[in-house]
Amino acid sequence: MESSAKLRDTPQAIRDLEWVLKSPSLLTPCPALPESFASQNLAEAQDELHTFLAESSEENEYRVGRYFERLVLYYLKHIRKVEVVANGLQLQEDRQTVGELDFVFRDEAGQLQHWETAVKFYLHFPGTSNCGSHFIGPDSRDNFEKKRQRLFEHQLPLSARRFSDIAERHAFVKGRIFYHPEHLPPQTLPDQLSPDHLRGVWIYRRELAWLSRLAERANGRIVLAKVLPKPFWLAPTRVELATGESDHLPVDELQQKLEQHFRDSATPRLVSLLAKETDAWCEFERVFVVPESWPHS
């Protein structure tokens, strides 16, 4: 397991917090956010955010979804400074858990809002799949339509069972859709998938040579690559030159490491391609690499 000190790297957490609040929504409609974050002094927020994230339980802190939720909670409590009435509230009927409410909070106007939050990553697969979707998760048991249905038909209506005075219900969902470089983009998108969503690339293990071809898009700049560890799948990767960080490699070396990984494992890997700028390595492409069996495994 990675060092928890690295998990609580506050410059990374600040970039991830900005991404949570400012990146395009994956779903439409999405809640409008007040401008309170724009005036936040990020340098002053770092120590507070470090302390806040340090409260995460060890068993959950490497889950991307849990990290995303913690950043949303920080935003509500410490930036908007609203009253969070419920967070992760389990609802039970006849001693059976029927669901969980992510956030119920009283907004600046004193009205109750219910938010269900998620960060999701889907790969566009134009072929026929067992699930019937063309937007499938790296874990092929998940797909966009399944998540959308659960959000709007199950999770959001649940708050009526406990809170009769909810004024607004919203799905606050961020993420990215990955497209294969050899497939035509879809002519139509599923209902409620935002056309402004973030994009990336996905390839099969047998297509790892695509990493070198994608690196050519850097227009002659030096390119390195790194596998992104959980939970840092949110903001674009930035590595300051002065840090001397050593976990990014030439593309051909990372390709060899991925070959070794897939000989022993079928776990997908998320890769960041970084080009050298004046003072930092900056991400210009994000790539999911999946095993040959995806999405039929």
Side-chain angles (χ1 to χ4, degrees):
M1 178 177 285
E2 302 155 59
S3 161
S4 59
K6 184 166 183 174
L7 173 62
R8 300 176 183 114
D9 169 7
T10 47
Q12 175 70 51
I14 288 290
R15 289 196 297 272
D16 287 336
L17 179 62
E18 286 189 277
W19 184 91
V20 167
L21 302 179
K22 296 181 178 181
S23 66
S25 176
L26 198 63
L27 278 177
T28 57
C30 61
L33 303 185
E35 292 296 322
S36 53
F37 184 73
S39 62
Q40 178 79 357
N41 186 317
L42 298 186
E44 292 180 0
Q46 288 196 16
D47 288 344
E48 182 182 58
L49 182 56
H50 171 93
T51 301
F52 182 83
L53 291 176
E55 299 170 358
S56 299
S57 63
E58 290 294 323
E59 63 179 299
N60 288 327
E61 66 180 354
Y62 287 91
R63 288 170 48 198
V64 181
R66 174 61 174 164
Y67 180 54
F68 181 85
E69 183 181 313
R70 293 288 295 170
L71 292 172
V72 173
L73 180 60
Y74 177 84
Y75 162 69
L76 292 173
K77 292 183 68 173
H78 296 277
I79 296 178
R80 286 184 67 171
K81 301 184 186 299
V82 296
E83 177 191 358
V84 178
V85 177
N87 170 221
L89 176 64
Q90 290 193 347
L91 300 181
Q92 294 188 334
E93 289 185 0
D94 299 325
R95 299 182 180 180
Q96 297 291 323
T97 300
V98 296
E100 182 177 292
L101 306 182
D102 285 348
F103 295 100
V104 177
F105 64 92
R106 198 169 299 280
D107 67 17
E108 291 82 355
Q111 294 186 317
L112 276 185
Q113 291 199 27
H114 170 204
W115 281 13
E116 287 298 311
T117 62
V119 57
K120 305 299 292 185
F121 305 95
Y122 295 113
L123 285 58
H124 172 245
F125 182 74
T128 301
S129 65
N130 296 333
C131 66
S133 174
H134 295 300
F135 293 85
I136 307 171
D139 179 343
S140 58
R141 294 171 295 182
D142 182 24
N143 64 72
F144 176 81
E145 291 87 349
K146 181 179 178 180
K147 182 60 179 178
R148 181 194 63 201
Q149 181 180 24
R150 181 163 180 81
L151 278 169
F152 290 99
E153 296 183 17
H154 177 70
Q155 292 175 262
L156 283 169
L158 273 176
S159 54
R161 304 187 185 200
R162 179 64 65 90
F163 301 95
S164 60
D165 54 344
I166 296 284
E168 296 183 21
R169 293 177 174 85
H170 295 289
F172 185 79
V173 181
K174 299 297 179 82
R176 191 181 298 263
I177 305 293
F178 296 79
Y179 295 89
H180 194 280
E182 294 181 348
H183 296 163
L184 292 174
Q187 294 185 345
T188 59
L189 297 175
D191 290 345
Q192 295 182 265
L193 175 56
S194 170
D196 298 324
H197 59 262
L198 293 176
R199 288 163 168 79
V201 172
W202 75 267
I203 56 176
Y204 283 113
R205 169 205 173 168
R206 66 176 181 271
E207 300 171 319
L208 280 169
W210 259 106
L211 292 178
S212 296
R213 296 167 69 179
L214 293 170
E216 294 173 1
R217 298 180 181 177
N219 298 321
R221 291 173 294 172
I222 300 173
V223 174
L224 295 178
K226 64 181 294 183
V227 173
L228 296 181
K230 292 181 178 181
F232 300 129
W233 286 14
L234 307 185
T237 307
R238 178 182 174 89
V239 179
E240 304 297 330
L241 294 179
T243 65
E245 188 171 322
S246 60
D247 62 349
H248 48 291
L249 301 168
V251 173
D252 58 343
E253 290 187 27
L254 185 73
Q255 186 172 321
Q256 293 172 17
K257 285 185 173 292
L258 288 171
E259 289 279 10
Q260 178 61 51
H261 165 77
F262 283 106
R263 281 194 286 270
D264 303 326
S265 172
T267 305
R269 283 290 180 259
L270 184 56
V271 174
S272 175
L273 295 180
L274 305 104
K276 188 176 183 181
E277 305 287 355
T278 303
D279 58 351
W281 295 94
C282 297
E283 178 177 302
F284 68 92
E285 191 63 270
R286 189 165 287 194
V287 186
F288 246 120
V289 186
V290 296
E292 305 303 319
S293 57
W294 185 90
H296 305 296
S297 54

